[in-house]
């Protein structure tokens, strides 16, 4: 089954294991620079979801996320991510990074993650570096320079150019 990365308006927030207390209107507030993305299958089902807030400053708590959200913010804050399929969490982060690199607005991608070993392992395994350890949260930053997949493709092209051509 194939999936497409797309912006969505409606999700079941009760399935969010990280921040189910944040309402759907909060997550979709265009005037506050917040949006939801999902990997959607051809039947409309979601393999994974990521909620993002654009901010001018890196929040260290959900209260700061509420205050700092701004549609002109250059920092994309991924404040919750979850998946229904193995590997879909990593895939949606990779798609989010590509989306942010293609954006003229986004300069940084940072998370607002819970203080769990699962969150730490997930983000570090996917290439992020922890840049903040706060009383309630931790922040990880992803590089917008290159994704693992794009680097693999570039390396493969170099290899074929050098060895085949």
């Amino acid at each position: 089954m194939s999936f497409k990365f797309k912006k969505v308006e409606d999700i079941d927030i009760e399935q969010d294991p990280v921040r189910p207390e944040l309402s759907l209107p909060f997550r979709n507030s265009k005037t506050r620079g917040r949006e939801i993305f999902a990997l959607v299958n051809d039947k409309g089902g979601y393999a994974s979801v990521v909620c993002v807030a654009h901010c001018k400053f890196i929040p260290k708590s959900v209260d700061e996320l509420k205050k700092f959200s701004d549609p002109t913010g250059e920092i994309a804050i991924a404040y919750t991510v979850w998946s229904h399929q193995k590997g879909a969490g990593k895939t949606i982060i990779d798609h989010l990074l590509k989306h942010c690199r293609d954006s003229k607005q986004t300069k940084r991608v940072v998370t607002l993650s819970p203080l769990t070993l699962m969150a730490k392992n997930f983000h570090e395994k996917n290439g992020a570096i922890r840049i903040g350890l706060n009383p309630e949260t931790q922040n990880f930053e992803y590089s917008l320079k290159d994704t693992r997949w794009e680097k693999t493709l570039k390396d493969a092209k170099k290899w074929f150019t050098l060895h085949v051509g």
Side-chain angles (χ1 to χ4, degrees):
M1 189 172 290
S2 65
F3 293 92
K4 291 183 181 173
F5 177 78
K6 62 190 265 188
K7 188 173 176 178
V8 296
E9 299 293 325
D10 190 32
I11 58 168
D12 180 0
I13 61 172
E14 291 181 12
Q15 291 187 17
D16 181 348
V18 181
R19 298 205 163 81
E21 74 279 6
L22 297 177
S23 71
L24 191 58
F26 174 88
R27 297 166 195 248
N28 277 328
S29 179
K30 290 176 184 65
T31 60
R32 297 296 301 166
R34 298 185 202 116
E35 51 196 345
I36 305 166
F37 297 96
L39 284 182
V40 183
N41 68 24
D42 49 8
K43 295 179 183 174
Y46 298 163
S48 58
V49 175
V50 63
C51 296
V52 177
H54 298 277
C55 296
K56 291 187 176 186
F57 307 99
I58 297 172
K60 296 178 181 173
S61 67
V62 173
D63 285 339
E64 285 188 357
L65 178 74
K66 292 174 184 178
K67 291 178 197 171
F68 296 167
S69 294
D70 183 319
T72 65
E74 294 181 338
I75 307 169
I77 305 294
Y79 61 88
T80 187
V81 61
W82 75 92
S83 67
H84 298 291
Q85 285 187 242
K86 185 171 176 56
K90 174 190 174 305
T91 302
I92 200 164
I93 291 295
D94 286 343
H95 281 282
L96 176 65
L97 293 173
K98 181 179 181 335
H99 173 77
C100 289
R101 272 194 314 280
D102 293 345
S103 159
K104 297 200 184 324
Q105 175 181 343
T106 306
K107 304 293 184 233
R108 299 174 74 185
V109 176
V110 177
T111 73
L112 181 66
S113 301
L115 289 173
T116 63
L117 186 58
M118 179 196 271
K120 180 182 183 300
N121 290 342
F122 173 80
H123 291 299
E124 288 179 347
K125 180 181 170 189
N126 290 307
I129 296 170
R130 186 162 64 182
I131 60 167
L133 185 57
N134 315 304
E136 301 173 19
T137 65
Q138 53 190 332
N139 303 103
F140 295 88
E141 183 161 8
Y142 284 90
S143 172
L144 287 177
K145 292 192 186 282
D146 223 20
T147 66
R148 293 174 305 280
W149 178 243
E150 288 173 338
K151 183 177 182 333
T152 301
L153 287 176
K154 285 178 187 174
D155 290 346
K157 285 179 184 176
K158 287 179 195 172
W159 188 86
F160 279 107
T161 302
L162 292 173
H163 295 91
V164 178

